[in-house]
Amino acid sequence: MKGLSHVFTWEVTRHLRNKQFLIGLLLTPLIFVAFGAIPTLLAYFDRPQQYEYLVVDELGVLDDLRAKLEGSRVALTPHSMDPDALREKVLADNVNGYFVLDRTFVEQGVLPIYVAKLQMRPDALDNALTDLLQEIRLAERSLDSEVLAYVTARPAFIPTTLDVKGENTIGNLPMAIGFSVLLFFLILGSGSMLFMSALQEKRDRMSEVVLSSIGPDALFAGKIAGHFFLGIVQVVVWLAIGLPVAYFLLDIPLGDYITPSLIPAYAVFTLLGYLLFAAIFVGMGGTMDSMETASNLQGMVFMLPALPFFVIGPIIGNPDGAIARFATLFPLTSPVVTILRSGFTVLRTWEWAVAAVLLLLTTAVIIKMAAKIFRVGMLMYGKNPDLRELIRWLRHA
Amino acid sequence: MSQTLLSVEGVVKEFGRKRAVDSVSFAVRRGEILGFLGPNGAGKTTTIRMIMGITAPDQGRITYHVDGRQENRVPKERVGYLPEERGLYKEARVMDVLLFLAGLKGMDKKTARARSMEWLERFGLKEYAFAKVQQLSKGMAQKVQFIASVIHDPDLVVLDEPFSGLDPVNQDLFKAEIRRLAASGSAVLLSSHQMNLVEELCHSIFLIHHGKRVLYGSLYDIKAEYGAHRVRMLITRNGWTPPPSPLVEADERDGAWYTCLLRPGVAPVDYLRSLPDDAPIEELSLSRISLHDIFVRTAQGGVPG
């Protein structure tokens, strides 16, 4: 296609010289790092909340209970049985509450905790009191302390996934999430740049001059290829900043998270997903004179890449459910969802294959349609086409 | 005149049921400036876009005679185009835009850079070579657009409203460059609504209306065929008016000035001979009906002449 390489070079060089692009390129990963660091910083500066309860210990078990709460943020202070004084201290907001450990607690398993106002109670306190109650009751049945410890020991749940060979792996969830997030940003970032680029061609009244030198398909393809390259540049820069931060500062074992066998499949879905949305964005950008006059139809196009967000909940809830399977095969959600889903479940070969074929066919059809719309749209000035008009363009172009 | 460079034969373009261009035929030769005229919506831009290969005709043939060969596909590297809807990438630098557009025409970067500087210097824009387009005035930007359309020395140049928005000084500059292009052997297709400039520049005229040819031929022939003579006199004696004459189609008195339009084909000298020997005429001027009048009559649906 004559002229494609010129358009490609033009799109790449003028963006790489553009201050806004360069600032965005470097600022985005910094914003991500900042967002990642803010909670840690806040936690560093913000002392976690401490709880203090007054305890009327009629059972003589306060020391046991305190031992169970060691290292937690709960402090227990003994107090005599003086309801008025206790009430006064709780209402004065000096302590979080008070409770009485007596036979009622042991026999009925009921423990009123008196507080000034309803509030979150630390899990550690609940767990310690539960353990204490079990121990007292079992001891009263004359059980050996070793048996007691054995019976009351809480199980440890360690999720451990297996790869195809049956070996113990950490799973490819982090890689799936990482890839799908990168693809999402690639589509959104490059897509909006492409949209603006096509729109600019018309806004700056350049389309007719350019189209007198090269065919519309070369302009269309050159823009898509150029912005794909720019998108890859963005991703590479982001990774170049993000990976060392993750590896060295956050101590994330990146090597454990990479499943090389999945990379080709992810690359295919990334490429097709990009091409699909790029074609839609360029085609639509070519129909518009300015952002201010965008119609509802054109505005809706910007929503399309966000569709996977609507199904993330159901996919995490049930990665093999009907919604997750549909979103894997539906071409507008398939690129991000297929990659993401492969982190939560083992996708069958046929699912990979059908999703890829459907995406490939849809991408081919959309590119053809978008190129037709682009061809007509680039020469139309002063009005935004409605759906009927777009269909007419598709028929006659 | 020399060889034909572009021939348009029986070209038709339809949009839905509307026939925007209907069996249009004309040719442009090397060194010729053809005025391509017509009211708004007459089919000019559609025809030009077909010539530039931006859209394809539904019927008919467009042939380009380049390097001794006949081509039915537009040789895009050999044509230059200044469209009516034109602009420049606002955020880019002047030199970058020129290099990009020259590159699309197949020019190598080194030649394109040297040629761009030559043209910018000729148009007094050398110091703006590396300025951003958005820093240019409208007239400056128009000069850059003109440069972009001719930087590659095209064989065929299509200029759609090149003078719109230009001040008289820059109009003269553009006129000189257009004449120079034709003198160097390019064929020029010039579309403009500024009839005085068209009259000054063009060797021939093609007038299109409702998608159809209305007039086509050399400027002289058209004016000779359709443009009757106009006689304008300053009469010194109050109350005296030339006697009614069968040679006159219409006349008008405005103070001391008397103007009459002769019937088509009437030689002015015959009319002057028909006047009395003692006619009190102080000043006398003779002109053809202007292209402007021919255009206006055509646009209003009348028969030119």
Side-chain angles (χ1 to χ4, degrees):
Chain A
M1 231 181 282
K2 213 179 112 241
L4 190 151
S5 63
H6 276 286
V7 178
F8 174 88
T9 315
W10 171 249
E11 291 290 340
V12 170
T13 49
R14 77 174 166 148
H15 277 89
L16 289 180
R17 280 183 192 160
N18 184 301
K19 271 185 212 146
Q20 273 174 311
F21 177 81
L22 293 175
I23 290 170
L25 187 67
L26 297 173
L27 217 56
T28 308
L30 293 180
I31 289 171
F32 270 93
V33 169
F35 269 110
I38 282 171
T40 319
L41 277 175
L42 288 179
Y44 181 79
F45 289 112
D46 187 27
R47 245 182 79 234
Q49 189 183 352
Q50 301 293 321
Y51 297 90
E52 188 185 352
Y53 289 89
L54 300 175
V55 182
V56 180
D57 180 20
E58 292 180 359
L59 299 173
V61 292
L62 185 57
D63 288 342
D64 286 351
L65 191 58
R66 274 177 167 162
K68 290 182 194 302
L69 286 167
E70 215 171 271
S72 77
R73 291 175 283 139
V74 183
L76 300 176
T77 310
H79 202 282
S80 59
M81 188 60 201
D82 179 355
D84 290 340
L86 285 165
R87 190 186 307 114
E88 198 178 311
K89 282 183 180 168
V90 170
L91 290 177
D93 221 11
N94 294 331
V95 292
N96 294 83
Y98 82 89
F99 52 86
V100 180
L101 294 173
D102 55 10
R103 288 303 303 167
T104 317
F105 172 55
V106 177
E107 284 156 17
Q108 295 177 13
V110 175
L111 183 70
I113 298 177
Y114 301 97
V115 293
K117 54 184 183 286
L118 284 177
Q119 55 183 258
M120 290 289 287
R121 204 170 49 252
D123 286 344
L125 181 63
D126 286 12
N127 292 337
L129 284 166
T130 307
D131 289 350
L132 180 72
L133 180 63
Q134 284 175 356
E135 281 171 20
I136 296 171
R137 282 175 171 180
L138 288 167
E140 285 181 355
R141 295 287 187 271
S142 307
L143 281 173
D144 178 66
S145 63
E146 266 182 40
V147 177
L148 271 183
Y150 178 70
V151 171
T152 56
R154 287 168 181 272
F157 302 105
I158 304 165
T160 308
T161 55
L162 296 172
D163 68 4
V164 181
K165 291 177 197 151
E167 287 168 10
N168 187 346
T169 70
I170 193 151
N172 51 297
L173 183 59
M175 180 168 138
I177 292 176
F179 244 92
S180 48
V181 168
L182 275 181
L183 173 58
F184 179 73
F185 278 102
L186 179 69
I187 290 173
L188 216 61
S190 298
S192 57
M193 279 198 302
L194 261 171
F195 186 84
M196 290 310 294
S197 170
L199 192 146
Q200 191 187 34
E201 211 75 44
K202 280 187 73 180
R203 187 200 67 192
D204 291 348
R205 297 290 190 262
M206 284 302 290
S207 44
E208 217 164 329
V209 172
V210 173
L211 293 179
S212 70
S213 301
I214 56 167
D217 293 347
L219 179 61
F220 180 80
K223 278 188 182 294
I224 289 180
H227 285 270
F228 183 67
F229 180 81
L230 288 168
I232 295 295
V233 168
Q234 271 182 328
V235 168
V236 167
V237 170
W238 293 349
L239 290 180
I241 296 173
L243 292 184
V245 169
Y247 189 77
F248 294 108
L249 294 183
L250 304 178
D251 232 7
I252 297 172
L254 293 172
D256 296 348
Y257 292 161
I258 291 168
T259 313
S261 59
L262 281 174
I263 290 178
Y266 283 8
V268 167
F269 276 84
T270 301
L271 180 66
L272 290 177
Y274 169 79
L275 286 176
L276 174 67
F277 285 101
I280 294 174
F281 279 129
V282 181
M284 266 302 150
T287 66
M288 290 170 61
D289 264 359
S290 69
M291 282 299 281
E292 290 75 27
T293 58
S295 65
N296 290 340
L297 176 74
Q298 290 153 335
M300 272 167 58
V301 169
F302 269 107
M303 299 290 289
L304 293 179
L307 282 179
F309 270 114
F310 296 107
V311 289
I312 280 180
I315 288 172
I316 294 171
N318 184 3
D320 290 315
I323 293 176
R325 283 182 196 278
F326 173 77
T328 304
L329 301 180
F330 182 60
L332 289 176
T333 47
S334 144
V336 170
V337 165
T338 308
I339 293 174
L340 186 64
R341 224 187 115 203
S342 72
F344 287 98
T345 184
V346 177
L347 287 182
R348 296 190 184 91
T349 312
W350 73 262
E351 275 187 292
W352 281 108
V354 174
V357 169
L358 281 178
L359 182 59
L360 178 70
L361 291 177
T362 310
T363 303
V365 171
I366 292 286
I367 286 178
K368 213 170 160 61
M369 286 167 66
K372 274 187 171 189
I373 288 175
F374 182 78
R375 216 174 292 158
V376 182
M378 288 305 269
L379 297 172
M380 293 280 180
Y381 294 108
K383 61 172 183 175
N384 285 316
D386 52 24
L387 189 61
R388 244 178 48 195
E389 205 154 356
L390 286 181
I391 292 169
R392 204 162 56 81
W393 291 5
L394 286 173
R395 279 212 206 118
H396 295 294
Chain B
M1 273 209 202
S2 51
Q3 71 176 95
T4 298
L5 201 130
L6 166 74
S7 52
V8 176
E9 295 162 88
V11 161
V12 171
K13 183 74 184 175
E14 289 173 338
F15 296 110
R17 283 188 210 154
K18 194 188 172 219
R19 188 167 273 215
V21 176
D22 191 357
S23 304
V24 161
S25 301
F26 62 86
V28 196
R29 299 177 186 83
R30 280 189 180 280
E32 180 185 2
I33 305 174
L34 173 76
F36 192 61
L37 314 177
N40 294 329
K44 295 190 303 290
T45 301
T46 306
T47 308
I48 288 174
R49 283 178 176 175
M50 287 189 282
I51 292 170
M52 298 311 299
I54 296 171
T55 53
D58 296 326
Q59 289 173 40
R61 196 166 55 171
I62 300 174
T63 315
Y64 308 83
H65 308 263
V66 178
D67 299 334
R69 285 177 286 116
Q70 285 193 13
E71 305 235 13
N72 290 322
R73 288 173 72 90
V74 58
K76 293 197 167 188
E77 291 173 3
R78 309 296 296 273
V79 298
Y81 181 33
L82 182 70
E84 186 180 7
E85 287 283 358
R86 56 179 172 254
L88 294 165
Y89 297 112
K90 287 189 182 69
E91 284 117 37
R93 296 185 309 175
V94 171
M95 180 58 82
D96 292 337
V97 176
L98 288 174
L99 291 182
F100 169 59
L101 294 173
L104 292 181
K105 292 293 184 188
M107 285 182 86
D108 67 85
K109 217 168 187 173
K110 197 176 157 196
T111 317
R113 191 181 294 272
R115 202 74 66 78
S116 298
M117 284 313 283
E118 269 172 41
W119 273 100
L120 288 170
E121 197 164 1
R122 193 182 296 170
F123 277 173
L125 292 177
K126 197 178 170 188
E127 62 270 36
Y128 291 93
F130 298 99
K132 283 199 172 176
V133 167
Q134 59 201 2
Q135 292 170 263
L136 303 182
S137 70
K138 194 183 171 200
M140 288 174 183
Q142 210 155 329
K143 286 178 186 174
V144 177
Q145 289 152 3
F146 184 88
I147 294 171
S149 64
V150 297
I151 190 169
H152 55 297
D153 281 339
D155 291 316
L156 171 68
V157 189
V158 178
L159 305 170
D160 198 352
E161 295 294 346
F163 306 108
S164 66
L166 283 182
D167 61 44
V169 175
N170 284 320
Q171 280 185 4
D172 285 346
L173 190 66
F174 271 40
K175 274 192 288 183
E177 289 304 331
I178 293 168
R179 282 199 186 101
R180 213 172 57 81
L181 280 167
S184 67
S186 297
V188 181
L189 188 74
L190 172 70
S191 177
S192 174
H193 284 130
Q194 280 143 305
M195 293 301 133
N196 57 328
L197 298 174
V198 173
E199 263 194 275
E200 276 185 57
L201 277 172
C202 294
H203 303 113
S204 46
I205 300 294
F206 186 98
L207 188 53
I208 185 172
H209 193 33
H210 295 312
K212 290 182 178 163
R213 185 186 92 170
V214 182
L215 289 175
Y216 178 42
S218 77
L219 189 60
Y220 178 83
D221 289 345
I222 285 175
K223 290 186 84 171
E225 186 179 350
Y226 299 104
H229 284 93
R230 187 190 301 269
V231 181
R232 190 167 154 80
M233 304 172 217
L234 180 64
I235 294 166
T236 49
R237 194 188 306 154
N238 274 347
W240 188 88
T241 297
S245 164
L247 305 178
V248 172
E249 188 171 285
D251 64 350
E252 180 183 78
R253 183 83 196 230
D254 180 15
W257 286 98
Y258 172 82
T259 308
C260 67
L261 184 66
L262 302 183
R263 289 190 186 282
V266 172
V269 69
D270 289 340
Y271 172 69
L272 293 176
R273 274 200 202 106
S274 74
L275 294 176
D277 292 344
D278 61 344
I281 299 169
E282 183 70 20
E283 287 181 30
L284 176 73
S285 68
L286 198 60
S287 62
R288 282 274 194 195
I289 184 172
S290 69
L291 194 57
H292 175 91
D293 290 333
I294 296 175
F295 181 91
V296 170
R297 288 181 192 193
T298 309
Q300 288 169 345
V303 180

